[in-house]
Amino acid sequence: MNLKELARKLDLSPTTVSRALNGYPEVNEATRERVAAAARRYNYKPNTRAIRLATGRAMAVGHVIPLATRHEIVNPVFADFIAGAGEVYSRNGYDMLLSVVPDDNEERVYRELKSRGTVDGVILHAPRMEDPRIPLLVELDIPFVVHGRATGTTLPYSWVDVNNRRAFQRATEFLLDLGHRRIALINGLEFMDFALRRRRGYEDALTARGLTADPAIMVSEEMTETAGYRAALHMLALDQRPTAAIVSSMIMAMGVRRGFEERGLRVGRDVSIIIHDDELSYLRNGDDVPIFTATRSSVREAGRQAADMLISLITGKVTGPQELLLEAELIIGQSTGPFTG
Amino acid sequence: MNLKELARKLDLSPTTVSRALNGYPEVNEATRERVAAAARRYNYKPNTRAIRLATGRAMAVGHVIPLATRHEIVNPVFADFIAGAGEVYSRNGYDMLLSVVPDDNEERVYRELKSRGTVDGVILHAPRMEDPRIPLLVELDIPFVVHGRATGTTLPYSWVDVNNRRAFQRATEFLLDLGHRRIALINGLEFMDFALRRRRGYEDALTARGLTADPAIMVSEEMTETAGYRAALHMLALDQRPTAAIVSSMIMAMGVRRGFEERGLRVGRDVSIIIHDDELSYLRNGDDVPIFTATRSSVREAGRQAADMLISLITGKVTGPQELLLEAELIIGQSTGPFTG
DNA sequence: AATCATTTTCAAACCGCTTTGAATGGCTCC
DNA sequence: GGAGCCATTCAAAGCGGTTTGAAAATGATT
């Protein structure tokens, strides 16, 4: 069943039927009713492909997932971010297009997205320092929103980010207040913007108390369980070992905990851990009582916000770069305790 | 730059240009060269929307992600499955469309996908016993491949699955061989087909040795860390506590380990654990030496296979229901040991 | 009743490609 | 030199909608 056929059945022109269904004012209310009823009756749904060609809009948003060619890691927060964004897209009639792309030809993909007109806008994931994709997207004139920010980029652009610096600063202060002085930072790879900011927050807090960050107890690694485990063992091997650690992700922290506990240290008593908790749906930080003390910020909510912002940009509801900084809350769990001798 | 314009520049008809670029035989090789060169020069990329309307193919595959309305969990294996499937799609010029849908109106989404012609086929995720979506998709006549199977469905359909029953049977046998007799099963929700099959494998292995499964040491829960943790505590509270456990996922097992170790039991010595390892990229089971003894099967590879199969079905390269059963391998890690008094 | 403004409907062009069926031109062959 | 045959090329008709500009119907005004 297509428009023409439906029009014929109604003894109306396609024009009128189209207008009736799309809520244009220049159509008689009685007619509109009749059309709507027929559309329901014959289960008419306008063909997406035709709409897209006719209107020139893709009614779709692209998410390009760079697949790190070396280690092939899919960002674990990705699924939840998508879930949040997806909600918003469905509500607004947009499709979500995913391209999994080896990160060495991401540029080509963006260019094609543009020239083939497959999407109306994109979400940029996992920005790095001076990320080259930002100027590229600006040049291509594709509406986009960055999940995160890119230190060193001077061009204005739209983004949704968590205040990572502030979060880690507070986490560090919290540990300092508990009496800890040797606090390890077990961070993600620091060419990732968020990791960089987290380190800054950590360093700022230390400096503010007249302490200096010790590179020996700072690691920057892939945020996997095993990397966390290795980091923990590394820390334990030091003669001046840390009494607390701030860990960039829940998964990594599970490895850290495994390392510590394997050596007989009890987390929350012998050693304190604060994590950053993205509130991943399959990796809740406990139900009622949080397992880990954490800086918490819902990545799903970030997905919703980013999608919202992007749609506003695409439809022209807003213009010019939009910015949204979400604050993380510090929640107290069972993994931290006062410094004991 | 579009086809008409390019044709004008070349002083050829759109027909010829189109044919030249699409490799049709009835075009002079010299002309084809000239066209190809011009296309490169002017960076011409055919408009996707137009191609889709003209050919009637969507050149896109849909993945409908049911969002469990009650608990809002995004399946953690999802990201890696997508990554695998995405590779195949890109290689074949297909787009991947994601719909995140509250699971109570999944049916509506499939019907729309069909009537609006947004996709050429779909992948069905997380099938359940007698999953109603299978007859629905058959009725709608959309090509589809199920990731998993649906016990109780009599209609033939295409699927890619892991031999879950066999995997868990072998895991159980392995523990039995180590002398364990009270082996817990910490499973996913058993309306999920894979969970059901895993339990069967477990029960079969026990029965084969003249043992009967004890419901007191079998739990079926959401596969989260906390659920695993609770399950472990529950087991420890029994007077006849298990000496080994088979756990349905890595994440869940991390909770189980936390529970055991919190109560002073050392995994691999005081209690044995076997997990199922989907080889999630961000959750490797150790690097060289596996942390957990595991039944292992790459979900990313499953994604690749499923996508491949679906494209074959869409293009008509194969017809009729296709089936692919992947075997899991049993790998020995550090989490299992012989039964000790 | 004629005029004019307003509401409602329609025919046709268009979006950018594919594809059918016909036309053109060169060659071979008798 | 005309018929027949390829090899190339092209005009035009889709695909299924939206949108422009004009026509028809209605109502108000004089």
Side-chain angles (χ1 to χ4, degrees), chain B residues 55-129:
Chain B
T55 59
R57 285 171 304 157
M59 290 309 284
V61 168
H63 287 242
V64 178
I65 316 306
L67 201 58
T69 27
R70 286 170 309 140
H71 19 252
E72 299 236 317
I73 291 229
V74 185
N75 191 335
V77 307
F78 186 66
D80 271 273
F81 183 88
I82 285 293
E87 281 177 37
V88 177
Y89 297 143
S90 320
R91 252 206 306 281
N92 291 275
Y94 278 77
D95 281 337
M96 171 162 61
L97 216 82
L98 240 65
S99 307
V100 181
V101 178
D103 59 2
D104 49 353
N105 58 2
E106 226 180 317
E107 173 166 349
R108 205 178 44 72
V109 171
Y110 283 118
R111 290 194 179 278
E112 289 217 353
L113 245 33
K114 173 68 181 186
S115 53
R116 314 187 85 109
T118 329
V119 300
D120 296 321
V122 303
I123 298 274
L124 190 60
H125 290 274
R128 308 172 170 203
M129 262 189 76

Side-chain angles (χ1 to χ4, degrees), chain B residues 177-254:
Chain B
D177 289 344
L178 283 172
H180 295 280
R181 284 299 168 270
R182 277 191 74 69
I183 302 169
L185 175 66
I186 302 180
N187 205 358
L189 293 166
E190 288 176 356
F191 55 76
M192 300 301 291
D193 192 82
F194 73 90
L196 203 60
R197 287 177 199 271
R198 287 177 182 178
R199 189 179 63 180
R200 271 200 221 114
Y202 162 84
E203 289 171 344
D204 287 356
L206 291 177
T207 319
R209 303 271 180 115
L211 300 169
T212 46
D214 176 1
I217 54 173
M218 295 164 68
V219 309
S220 162
E221 281 293 342
E222 199 94 69
M223 296 198 293
T224 62
E225 205 266 358
T226 27
Y229 176 71
R230 275 197 304 267
L233 295 193
H234 164 74
M235 298 295 167
L236 291 180
L238 300 173
D239 31 309
Q240 282 232 325
R241 55 155 86 149
T243 64
I246 303 183
V247 185
S248 250
S249 90
M250 179 99 175
I251 290 185
M252 208 172 187
M254 297 179 99

Side-chain angles (χ1 to χ4, degrees), chain A residues 10 34 75 129 139 174 197 205 232 243 285 297 304 327:
Chain A
L10 282 161
R34 211 157 62 83
N75 190 335
M129 262 189 77
E139 176 206 325
F174 180 77
R197 287 178 199 271
T243 63
N285 185 14
S297 167
R304 277 190 284 256
E327 290 298 333

Side-chain angles (χ1 to χ4, degrees), chain A residues 57-329:
Chain A
R57 286 171 302 157
M59 291 309 285
V61 168
H63 287 241
V64 178
I65 317 306
L67 201 57
T69 25
R70 288 169 309 142
H71 21 250
E72 298 238 316
I73 291 227
V74 186
N75 190 335
V77 307
F78 185 66
D80 270 274
F81 183 88
I82 286 294
E87 281 177 39
V88 176
Y89 297 143
S90 321
R91 252 206 305 282
N92 292 274
Y94 278 77
D95 280 338
M96 173 160 62
L97 217 82
L98 242 63
S99 309
V100 181
V101 178
D103 58 3
D104 50 353
N105 58 4
E106 224 180 317
E107 173 166 350
R108 206 178 44 70
V109 171
Y110 282 118
R111 290 194 179 279
E112 289 216 353
L113 244 33
K114 172 68 182 188
S115 54
R116 313 188 86 109
T118 331
V119 300
D120 296 321
V122 303
I123 297 275
L124 190 60
H125 290 274
R128 306 172 171 203
M129 262 189 77
E130 299 176 25
D131 199 304
R133 295 172 295 175
I134 293 177
L136 174 66
L137 286 170
V138 170
E139 176 206 325
L140 292 176
D141 195 29
I142 303 179
F144 71 100
V145 169
V146 182
H147 178 210
R149 276 172 288 176
T151 303
T153 300
T154 48
L155 264 68
Y157 58 89
S158 298
W159 52 263
V160 171
D161 198 5
V162 174
N163 197 339
N164 282 297
R165 200 193 49 70
R166 184 115 201 287
F168 270 44
Q169 183 179 5
R170 288 181 63 198
T172 311
E173 282 165 1
F174 180 77
L175 289 170
L176 289 169
D177 289 343
L178 282 172
H180 295 280
R181 284 302 169 267
R182 278 191 74 70
I183 302 169
L185 175 65
I186 302 179
N187 205 358
L189 293 167
E190 287 177 358
F191 55 76
M192 300 300 292
D193 192 83
F194 73 89
L196 204 59
R197 287 178 199 271
R198 287 177 182 178
R199 191 180 62 179
R200 271 200 220 115
Y202 163 83
E203 289 171 343
D204 287 357
L206 291 177
T207 320
R209 304 266 179 118
L211 299 169
T212 48
D214 176 1
I217 54 173
M218 294 163 69
V219 311
S220 162
E221 282 293 343
E222 200 94 69
M223 297 199 292
T224 61
E225 204 266 358
T226 27
Y229 175 73
R230 276 196 305 266
L233 295 192
H234 164 74
M235 298 295 167
L236 291 180
L238 299 174
D239 30 310
Q240 282 232 324
R241 62 187 193 193
T243 63
I246 303 184
V247 186
S248 249
S249 88
M250 179 100 177
I251 290 185
M252 207 172 188
M254 296 179 101
V256 171
R257 182 175 59 201
R258 179 161 65 96
F260 284 155
E261 304 215 323
E262 201 171 283
R263 292 297 190 275
L265 292 181
R266 193 58 181 281
V267 169
R269 197 186 56 194
D270 310 317
V271 59
S272 288
I273 293 183
I274 297 187
I275 67 162
H276 180 75
D277 174 15
D278 294 294
E279 299 198 60
L280 304 185
S281 57
Y282 54 90
L283 209 59
R284 288 276 128 122
N285 185 14
D287 317 87
D288 35 350
V289 189
I291 303 165
F292 290 103
T293 296
T295 58
R296 184 169 68 183
S297 167
S298 163
V299 70
R300 190 183 290 214
E301 178 58 20
R304 277 190 284 256
Q305 296 288 350
D308 229 354
M309 186 182 283
L310 182 55
I311 290 181
S312 296
L313 285 166
I314 290 173
T315 56
K317 216 172 84 187
V318 301
T319 57
Q322 306 292 306
E323 309 185 337
L324 179 61
L325 188 59
L326 304 167
E327 290 298 333
E329 47 182 346

